[in-house]
Amino acid sequence: QVQLVESGGGSVQAGGSLTLSCTASGYLVKRNYMAWFRQVPGSEREGVAGIYTGSGTTYYADSVKGRFTISRDNAKPTVYLQMNSLKPDDTAMYYCAAGLLRREVVDGFSRDEFDYWGQGTQVTVSS
């Protein structure tokens, strides 16, 4: 059974940086898209960045555009989320997800499109 394992979360001051990693323990058959979501208690899970594992085409939510960078290493296979200029509003549990998307991602994606999830890693940004 495939598992996604996140790492790299932690506590940082505003303006700092963190890099999250997500490694698949097995072969993700027919899953062409990897994404990072985040969630705070009482709120919906928000998709913040995604990447096609084949083409490398990326998507970013407006809230993180210009500050976060998603990348992948298909050989490992691992997906990264480099987070710079962190703000207190970035505080959340961050989840990695894998899915099969048969469309061009223009305006984001929903959690319903993903069927593999990691356990989450906490990111806390203090002011």
Side-chain angles (χ1 to χ4, degrees):
Q1 184 174 350
V2 175
Q3 289 186 318
L4 300 179
V5 180
E6 302 104 333
S7 61
S11 297
V12 65
Q13 288 193 324
S17 299
L18 284 172
T19 300
L20 306 182
S21 300
C22 171
T23 300
S25 63
Y27 180 58
L28 288 166
V29 179
K30 296 184 179 180
R31 300 299 182 272
N32 64 343
Y33 203 83
M34 301 290 292
W36 287 95
F37 287 75
R38 66 186 183 187
Q39 188 172 25
V40 297
S43 297
E44 293 291 320
R45 192 168 292 189
E46 172 194 15
V48 296
I51 187 167
Y52 282 99
T53 56
S55 67
T57 302
T58 58
Y59 163 84
Y60 298 96
D62 287 343
S63 57
V64 305
K65 197 173 295 182
R67 300 187 298 120
F68 289 11
T69 302
I70 188 170
S71 61
R72 92 283 192 216
D73 183 341
N74 290 337
K76 290 189 175 181
T78 300
V79 174
Y80 305 94
L81 186 67
Q82 173 69 43
M83 305 184 295
N84 298 326
S85 302
L86 283 162
K87 306 174 182 179
D89 284 349
D90 296 318
T91 295
M93 185 72 78
Y94 283 72
Y95 297 90
C96 174
L100 176 62
L101 271 67
R102 301 181 184 276
R103 63 178 180 86
E104 181 183 5
V105 176
V106 177
D107 294 324
F109 38 76
S110 72
R111 61 183 298 178
D112 293 339
E113 297 182 272
F114 297 84
D115 52 357
Y116 287 101
W117 291 88
Q119 80 289 350
T121 185
Q122 178 67 36
V123 172
T124 302
V125 184
S126 57
S127 57

